[in-house]
Amino acid sequence: MIHVANDLELYERHADEWWDPSSPVFRSLRATKALHIEILDELIEQELGGRAPFAVDLGCGGGLLAVPISRHTDHMVGIDRSGASVAAANREARRTGASCHFVRGDVADVPLASGIADLVVLSDVVEHVPDPERVVREAARLLRPGGIVFVNTLARTLRAHLLAVTFAEGVGLVPRGTHDPKMFVLPEDLIRMADGAGLELVRLEGEAPMIRRTLRTWAIHLRRSSNVAVSYNATFRRRAD
C-alpha cells in the first residue's frame, strides 16, 4: 500500500465519526480541542469583551471548535473543503441548537465579504494547505480592524516530526497519513506571514502533550507550554487601516 502524507480525504471518508467519542480517527483531535476551546474562551473575554458577534472558522471540519465557541457569537460560519464534514457539522449544530452555519468552500478563497468578522479561527489548518500565506491573508481580509485571528499548528522541527508523525501516527494516536512534516510552519514564519497581511502578534504559546493522560486515554491531551518546538498557538490582531 502506498503511504499518502497529508491525506485530506480521510476527513471525507470518516465524516460520520466527527462527534463519535469512540472514534479512533478523531479521538485525539477531539481531545486537543479542549485546550483550544479554553484558550478561545479566554481570548474572547480578554480581547473582544466577552463577545465575538461574527466569527468564522476556516477549515472547520465537523465543527469541533465552531459549535462550542458559537455560544459567544451571534453568527458563526464554518468553511471546509469536505462536503461530508460540513454536513456533519450542520447536523450537530441543529442537534444542539447552536447558532452556526457551515458551508463547503476553499479557505484560500473564502466566499465571504471583507471586514465582517470579529474572530477568525485557523485550527489545525495551515500545516495542511499548499499556500499557508494565502490562507493567512484570507483570514486577515475577513477581519474588521481590531478583530483577532487564532491559529494553532505544528512547528517545522525535527522534534515535531518525531512526535507528531513518527510516534503519534506510528502507534495510532492519530491516523497514518494525517500530516506531512514538510508542510509544518515555524512560528517565525507564521508571524512573518501575519505581519505581511496586516496582523500584529498578541500572544504566542507552546503546547505540550499531557503524557500520563494521553497514555491512559490513548488520545492526545495538551497543556500550555513555553516551548514552541512542537505544536503552538498564536493570536493576532488586525491593525487599523
Side-chain angles (χ1 to χ4, degrees):
M1 180 180 294
I2 298 174
H3 175 72
V4 178
N6 193 43
D7 179 13
L8 299 182
E9 293 306 312
L10 72 86
Y11 304 105
E12 189 81 4
R13 294 193 302 271
H14 297 280
D16 289 342
E17 301 173 42
W18 274 105
W19 291 93
D20 179 359
S22 66
S23 169
V25 175
F26 296 118
R27 187 165 51 214
S28 285
L29 189 59
R30 288 168 59 90
T32 61
K33 293 307 103 180
L35 174 62
H36 301 140
I37 291 168
E38 175 187 308
I39 294 170
L40 280 163
D41 284 344
E42 288 180 7
L43 287 172
I44 292 168
E45 182 63 36
Q46 295 168 5
E47 302 295 332
L48 298 173
R51 295 290 296 165
F54 198 111
V56 181
D57 186 356
L58 298 179
C60 62
L64 295 182
L65 277 183
V67 170
I69 293 304
S70 68
R71 65 183 178 272
H72 298 292
T73 74
D74 298 324
H75 304 281
M76 167 64 84
V77 178
I79 308 289
D80 201 276
R81 71 188 293 274
S82 167
S85 294
V86 164
N90 277 316
R91 286 195 299 272
E92 183 65 13
R94 289 193 297 270
R95 187 188 73 80
T96 60
S99 58
C100 302
H101 181 59
F102 299 94
V103 296
R104 187 176 185 182
D106 185 351
V107 298
D109 188 16
V110 181
L112 294 172
S114 300
I116 61 170
D118 302 278
L119 169 69
V120 175
V121 175
L122 280 170
S123 180
D124 297 303
V125 171
V126 297
E127 74 272 24
H128 292 292
V129 296
D131 189 350
E133 189 161 6
R134 181 175 175 182
V135 174
V136 171
R137 286 199 306 269
E138 274 294 89
R141 179 185 68 78
L142 296 173
L143 284 175
R144 63 168 178 78
I148 61 172
V149 58
F150 171 81
V151 183
N152 71 270
T153 190
L154 286 153
R156 197 178 66 253
T157 62
L158 177 59
R159 186 173 180 183
H161 185 165
L162 291 174
L163 289 177
V165 182
T166 305
F167 177 72
E169 294 190 19
V171 302
L173 282 167
V174 295
R176 286 183 182 271
T178 297
H179 298 110
D180 180 348
K182 295 190 296 295
M183 300 177 74
F184 293 175
V185 179
L186 288 168
E188 53 265 38
D189 290 335
L190 179 64
I191 293 169
R192 174 187 53 77
M193 295 175 198
D195 182 66
L199 301 171
E200 60 185 11
L201 182 67
V202 175
R203 74 182 197 183
L204 173 70
E205 65 180 356
E207 302 169 353
M210 302 167 68
I211 301 298
R212 291 182 180 178
R213 190 173 182 187
T214 293
L215 293 176
R216 186 174 68 250
T217 62
W218 207 243
I220 299 171
H221 292 263
L222 297 174
R223 60 174 176 81
R224 301 170 196 242
S225 170
S226 59
N227 191 329
V228 296
V230 181
S231 67
Y232 63 95
N233 63 77
T235 303
F236 302 93
R237 181 185 292 108
R238 174 79 190 193
R239 291 194 288 265
D241 294 332

